[in-house]
Amino acid sequence: MNKFKYYTPTKVLFGEGRVKELGDLLNSYKINKLLIVYGGGSIVKSGLLKEVTDILNNYNIKYYELKGVEPNPLLSKVNEGIDIVKKNNIEFLLAIGGGSVIDTAKAIGYGVFNDGDVWDFYSKRRKPEGSLKIGVILTIAAAGSEMSDSSVITNDKTKEKRGCNSDYCRPTFAIMDPKYTTTLPDNQTMAGCCDIIMHTMERYFTKGGNLEITDEIAEGLMRTVFKNGTILHDNPNDIKARAEVMWASSLSHNGLTGCGNDGGDFMSHKLEHELSGKYNVTHGAGLSIIWPSWAEYVYMNNLDRFYKYAKNVLGIEGTDKMDVAKKGIRKTKEIFSSWNLPIKLRELDIYPTHEDIIDMAKSCLESCGGPKGSSRLLDLNDMINIYTNAL
Ligand code: NZQ
Ligand code: ZN
């Protein structure tokens, strides 16, 4: 049995209308001055920003704004936020949006609390020793950053997309109202569903031991997201399905579906981060391309787990393990395609040359600190093969 730590300090307020409790919540943490971090304007259009600023005004909480965070968020925006916070002695960060906005707030939190260049924490030169506190109002079910210990930032200059993991950045609270996700375009909803499933897959396809209870939770989560993702593709306003995937988003990446495993595989994520860093691909759409290519490459090295997944998550019957495992991979691809997600790079009009692939593989290997993966240890050559299979 593997040892594990399960730490989820985030207070979750889930359900319709919970944003109304924001003022009291901030008062309970004695917050008087904060920075609102948000993206390209969806929360302006939906009215959520006004709802929030009205509450802040009513509670006499002073606020500043950092807007314009882009998907695959950039280091330059993080540095802009750090300057605003330092100049104005801001004591709290309120992220309103999805993974990109939350991760930007997390990086600002590191940059304010720790001296020196914040990129050091993403390039693994140093480890953060603390962070400014963060609250979240979530508007997309996807990255799971609202409860995770992770933040992923792209360096504008080098195009390196790198993650920093530490418990310091786990949000203090997360307000989740599924209603806010109904304004999402279909491609973002579906890419989000893929990312949610993937966070559990990364923890499920391991070879170093698993707990039965964790497997049951993981399989239930994946079944739920496959089912409700399909419902949302047909009917984006189904609020019950929105709620199912929103809670799944948090549970899939807060550590729950990995308790008792060997630390997870995470190679689909590592390989995908190179793609979204280099080509600005939507993270979930990058995963729907990389995972099938990865799975076809490694499944024979972890046949029991691929068989179990196909049987218990997708309901595929049969006793020939290899056949069932292959059918499971094929069915997963079919579901992604039925959600209009790409399963090959060419579907996004991206055609990397062999040199581009070698560059991405080298960069991935470097970010992993050498060969990595639990289902199968991947070296440079394996990474090149997986990218090539994804063309
Ligand atoms: O910027 P706005 O105008 O808000 O539009 C966003 C953005 O264009 C839009 N959107 C969000 N909520 C909306 C909405 N549009 C209409 N209505 C709403 N309610 O959706 C677009 C994508 O937003 P983004 O925040 O990028 O999405 P997501 O949550 O998928 O985050 C992706 C980022 O998170 C990283 C990914 O690599 C990527 O950079 N990840 C972060 C993780 C973590 N911190 O734990 C783990 C993940 O594996 C992932 O790597
Ligand atoms: Zn992800």
Side-chain angles (χ1 to χ4, degrees), residues 155-172:
N155 185 317
D156 319 35
K157 286 187 192 130
T158 62
K159 300 286 173 217
E160 291 166 295
K161 186 174 183 183
R162 296 285 182 265
C164 172
N165 293 64
S166 90
D167 281 333
Y168 298 124
C169 79
R170 290 194 194 258
T172 304

Side-chain angles (χ1 to χ4, degrees), residues 142-143 195-196 198-199 253 269 273 283-284 287:
D195 193 19
I196 297 168
M198 227 39 84
H199 292 149
H253 205 32
H269 265 74
H273 283 163
H283 172 60
L287 288 170

